[in-house]
Amino acid sequence: MFVITAPEAPPLRGPAPAPSRTGPALVAVVLFVLHTAFALRNHARFRTTGYDLGIFGQAVRSWAEGRLPASEIRTATAPAGFAGEALPLLGDHFHPVLALLGPAYRLVPRVEVLLVAQTALVAAAVYVSGRTAQRHLPTRPFAGPVVGASCGLAWGVQSLVGFDFHEVAFALPLLALACRAYLDGRLRAAAWWAAGLLLVKEDLGATAAVLGLLIAYHGRDRRAGWFLTGGSALATLLVLKVVVPGFAPDGRYLYAGQVGGAYGLLDGWSVKVLTLLGLLAVTGGLVLRSPLTWLLLPTLAWRFTSSVPSHWEPGLHYSAVLVPIACAALVDALRRGARLPLAVPLGAVLLLLPLQPTAQLATPGFWRESPREAAARAAVERVPDGVRVAASNTLAPHLTDRTVVRLAAPGLLDREPAVEWLVLDRADGFPAGATDGVLREAASDPAWRVVRDEAGIVLLTRAG
């Protein structure tokens, strides 16, 4: 039976570095190329969405233009009573790390910059995880490439790459670096890397605080550990109680009521067990043999006590931040003497790979353009630069770079400032009934005329 062990002091100095970085670097480069090819082609196929790529695209565009992040798309589900054109995104989630993408977006003002940045961040985590294995498992010659590949192919990372862009991509290399420094015995460096999580998303402050407790437990650098724990707790409290409510239109943190309420751990237990089993599979169960396992608990706690069923599932991007921790815990367990062929975790992730979004790379249909894609591309290209447009969820991220985009929803045509173009996908069901409702409203207004209607993609413009 596996149990979570008490922390033991990491070595004062890490083991001698492996003679070559080629293995982890090669794995990272190969996965970067494959993930980038998938992400860009998936976007070209109109399989990305306004929720969330379009929202993040508008956020990064705001940073690039020297403005605080705001999103016109996010207003589709804004708090009741919100009447502005763009919702301040720091009143939704706290992710100032997105400002780092502003300069790149200014040079290349395309939403694809976000997708490439995400795959690069994943590749960085893959490389660091592989190097951690090399340093601490020197008697296993293929430990670096195998652990790196397990990290990059794990279902949590695959789900992140397969679903638009999310700010948590920045957490992957930070967590990999913090865990590596911890295992090396460089506790102050581990604290600094973990402190960066505070700028990624508001819930990751709890993960940083737990690492601070592990550092403080060892006694060699208790000050760094207590500073990290206390600073993370204080910063998280400040963000949730002051910063986010200060930007939020209704003066409150929108997601506070979703976590820790009436929903207990037993609600949706079968889905939650599946999520845990998928996590254990990445490490052959050895994740429970390392004190780094404690870093998994904050994310699992808020997800499993959430009232939103999608938070429980294994197939979304919420599990991505768990993967670098699990891989470091695997290395830690093996260096402590646990016996497990590295082929077991790698085999587990490869077994699940056909079920992941990126498996579509191997299907011919993924590379062929369908009539719907051709019609969608033609419709999007007809929309002039700089106009206000309402678009279906799957079409919105293709317009955020050069127009002001809102998400098509009933009642939108009566809002000010008025939209000048509509580009709609009849098959898009988000928000529910949105496309049909907007089309009915446009049909009843003689100011609107149809420019194109092909393969289920409808383009309309307002006269004048």
Side-chain angles (χ1 to χ4, degrees), residues 23-78:
L26 183 60
V27 171
V29 169
V30 169
L31 289 180
F32 170 72
V33 171
L34 292 177
H35 289 161
T36 301
F38 171 83
L40 295 180
R41 177 59 188 148
N42 197 51
H43 178 65
R45 297 178 70 221
F46 292 85
R47 295 299 194 271
T48 53
T49 60
Y51 269 73
D52 292 310
L53 181 58
I55 293 174
F56 283 112
Q58 290 176 331
V60 173
R61 180 180 176 181
S62 298
W63 284 116
E65 295 173 352
R67 299 180 287 112
L68 290 176
S71 171
E72 292 82 6
I73 293 175
R74 182 64 179 80
T75 59
T77 54

Side-chain angles (χ1 to χ4, degrees), residues 90 93-98 167 170-171 174-175 178 190-212 226-240 243-244:
L90 292 179
H93 287 299
F94 187 71
H95 40 48
V97 71
L98 292 178
E167 73 278 74
F170 283 93
L174 288 173
L175 285 165
W192 278 113
W193 287 120
L197 297 173
L198 299 172
L199 302 177
V200 177
K201 199 176 179 184
E202 64 276 4
D203 61 283
L204 290 170
T207 302
V210 171
L211 182 58
W226 288 122
F227 264 113
L228 178 60
T229 296
S232 298
L234 182 61
T236 300
L237 187 65
L238 185 66
V239 165
L240 296 179
V243 178
V244 173

